[in-house]
Amino acid sequence: MTELPIPGPYVPWVDDIPSRPAADGPLQGVRLAVKDLFDVAGLPTGAGNPTWLATHPPATRDAAAVAVLTGAGARIVGKTHTDEMAYSLFGTNAHYGAPDNPAAPGHITGGSSNGTAAAVAEGSADLGLGTDTGGSVRIPAGWCGLYGLRPSHIRVSRAGVVPLCGSFDVPGLLTRDLALLRTATGVLLTGGPDTTPIRGLVAPADLWELAEPAVRQALQPALERLAATLPCDEKPLWGSAPAPDYRFAYAVRTGWEFWQRHGDWVREHEPVFGPGVGERVRLASARTHEELVAADREIAAVRTTMARLLDGAVLVIPTAPAPAPGRGVDTGPLRAPILGLTGISSVVGLPALSVPGAAVDGLPVGLCLVGAPGTDESLLELAEVLR
C-alpha cells in the first residue's frame, strides 16, 4: 500500500465552520475540536471512510453532545480525523493517513479519536470531543500526555453520533488541563453523581502485568502518591478463578451491533476498508446469535465482579501497556493487552479517566482511574492528587 502523507488533525472536507451566535456559559471562548463521528448542523459527517462521506448528506442538526457543549459557550474550530467507523484502537486510517503525535513526534496518537487528541495536544483546540468504545479516548490521552475521560455510559447522550456499538459507545472529552475537564464534564454529563465516598484503591497485579516493565516502573510514583491518601489493594483481580473472557465478549458484541446497524449499508455500497478494519467487518458479518449469548454471559460475570470491587473503591491501572508506537510499527501485538486494560470499563459502562502519569524514554504514558457508574466527579477529584 502506498504510504499516505501525514495529515493534520482536521478533516480537509470541512474548511469553514458555519458561524453561529456565541452562547454565554461556563465554556465561553473554549475552542472545541469535534471528532468526525458527531453530526454538526450544515456539515458532512465522514466517519473516517470516503464511501460513508459520499453516501450521506450533511447533518441537519447538531449531535446532542455538540449542542450541549456549544450551548455552554464552546466554539467549534474543526472536525477531526477518526479511524474508519471508529473500528480500531490506533488512529491509523488507510484512506486519510494518521496525524502525528504532537507530544511524541514520529509516533501515532492512538485511538479512533486520534485527530481530536492531536488537535488538543498541539494547542489548536482547548477541548476535544471524541468517542470511546474500546479505549479511543483513553489511549490517545495516555499517548499524547492529555487528560481523557470516558464518562459513565448512562450519563451522556449518543444521539447524532455514528455508532460502532451502542452498548459500549460513549462520547468523551480530552483536555490539556484538569480544571477545564472538570468544567466541561459538569456541562456534558446528565443525572446526579454517585456520592459514595471513595474508601480505597485497587491496583490488581494481574492487570498491571499486562503493561511493559518500563511502563509499570514509570507509573509507580503516581500510584504511590495515590496510595499515600487511600489504602491500596494490589492482589490479583481474578484470583485463582478463570478470568471472564471480556476481550472475546467485546469483539463479539461490537461486531454483532456493527453489522446490525451498518450491514445493509456495507452490502449496498461495498465500501473499501483498510486491512485491519476490513477483517473486523468481515468477522462482524459472520457473528452468530450463539456467540452473542456466550459473550453476554462473560459480560455479566465482569459486571458482577466490578460491582463488588468498586463499592467505595477506585481501580487504578496503566492506561496502555506501552508508550505510543512509532509510525509504521506493527501494532497488532498491542491490541490484546490494550483491551485487557480498557475492555473492563467498556463492557460494564464504567467511567474511566486517563491522567498524564509519567514518561518512558520521553514518551508519555497515562494512569487510568476507573470507578463505579456515576462516580465521574469523584475520579476527577481524585486526579487532583496527581496534578
Side-chain angles (χ1 to χ4, degrees):
M1 182 179 293
T2 303
E3 186 173 347
L4 296 169
I6 299 174
Y10 300 98
V11 298
W13 52 88
V14 175
D15 56 7
D16 185 30
I17 304 297
S19 61
R20 57 177 74 191
D24 293 328
L27 298 179
Q28 181 71 42
V30 170
R31 298 169 299 165
L32 174 65
V34 178
K35 184 177 184 177
D36 197 29
L37 288 182
F38 290 86
D39 286 345
V40 175
L43 300 179
T45 302
N49 183 275
T51 303
W52 185 275
L53 180 65
T55 56
H56 291 81
T60 58
R61 64 177 63 184
D62 289 342
V66 173
V68 168
L69 295 173
T70 57
R75 174 175 60 87
I76 299 172
V77 295
K79 298 194 77 178
T80 53
H81 280 293
T82 177
D83 289 339
E84 294 182 80
M85 314 301 289
Y87 214 166
S88 184
L89 287 171
F90 297 106
T92 51
N93 189 302
H95 304 287
Y96 306 123
D100 206 31
N101 185 334
H107 295 72
I108 61 175
T109 63
S112 68
S113 301
N114 54 322
T116 304
V120 175
E122 74 173 16
S124 64
D126 306 305
L127 177 64
L129 178 61
T131 62
D132 189 307
T133 305
S136 287
V137 163
R138 291 164 283 167
I139 296 301
W143 284 351
C144 294
L146 302 173
Y147 292 93
L149 176 67
R150 172 198 167 88
S152 298
H153 189 268
I154 59 174
R155 297 187 67 187
V156 186
S157 171
R158 293 170 294 284
V161 184
V162 178
L164 170 58
C165 174
S167 292
F168 304 151
D169 299 339
V170 65
L173 299 170
L174 293 132
T175 67
R176 299 183 301 277
D177 179 74
L178 181 57
L180 176 57
L181 181 58
R182 295 184 73 168
T183 299
T185 299
V187 169
L188 182 64
L189 268 55
T190 61
D194 183 334
T195 58
T196 302
I198 297 175
R199 299 184 296 272
L201 309 172
V202 286
D206 47 353
L207 294 187
W208 276 77
E209 287 168 3
L210 293 172
E212 295 178 351
V215 172
R216 300 199 301 267
Q217 181 177 356
L219 292 176
Q220 189 64 33
L223 176 61
E224 290 173 357
R225 287 173 66 187
L226 291 172
T229 66
L230 291 164
C232 183
D233 186 348
E234 299 184 15
K235 68 174 177 288
L237 177 60
W238 308 113
S240 59
D245 195 349
Y246 53 90
R247 284 176 285 201
F248 157 81
Y250 173 87
V252 169
R253 179 149 280 285
T254 299
W256 175 274
E257 293 193 23
F258 175 90
W259 195 253
Q260 295 301 306
R261 186 63 180 262
H262 301 304
D264 288 346
W265 172 77
V266 172
R267 284 189 290 260
E268 178 179 356
H269 297 286
E270 300 183 341
V272 174
F273 294 112
V277 176
E279 176 62 12
R280 283 187 281 282
V281 171
R282 185 192 68 78
L283 291 171
S285 70
R287 292 298 183 191
T288 66
H289 186 263
E290 289 74 20
E291 285 180 311
L292 187 67
V293 170
D296 286 347
R297 187 164 52 245
E298 300 298 305
I299 291 171
V302 178
R303 286 178 174 160
T304 298
T305 296
M306 299 311 293
R308 180 176 63 253
L309 185 77
L310 298 181
D311 181 13
V314 169
L315 175 69
V316 185
I317 54 177
T319 298
R327 303 184 68 87
V329 171
D330 179 16
T331 56
L334 272 179
R335 187 172 181 85
I338 283 178
L339 285 173
L341 292 168
T342 64
I344 291 173
S345 302
S346 296
V347 302
V348 184
L350 304 174
L353 172 64
S354 181
V355 178
V360 173
D361 296 330
L363 304 176
V365 291
L367 188 71
C368 197
L369 311 178
V370 181
T375 60
D376 311 64
E377 291 85 355
S378 296
L379 299 182
L380 293 164
E381 180 67 29
L382 182 60
E384 293 285 353
V385 175
L386 301 176
R387 289 183 69 177

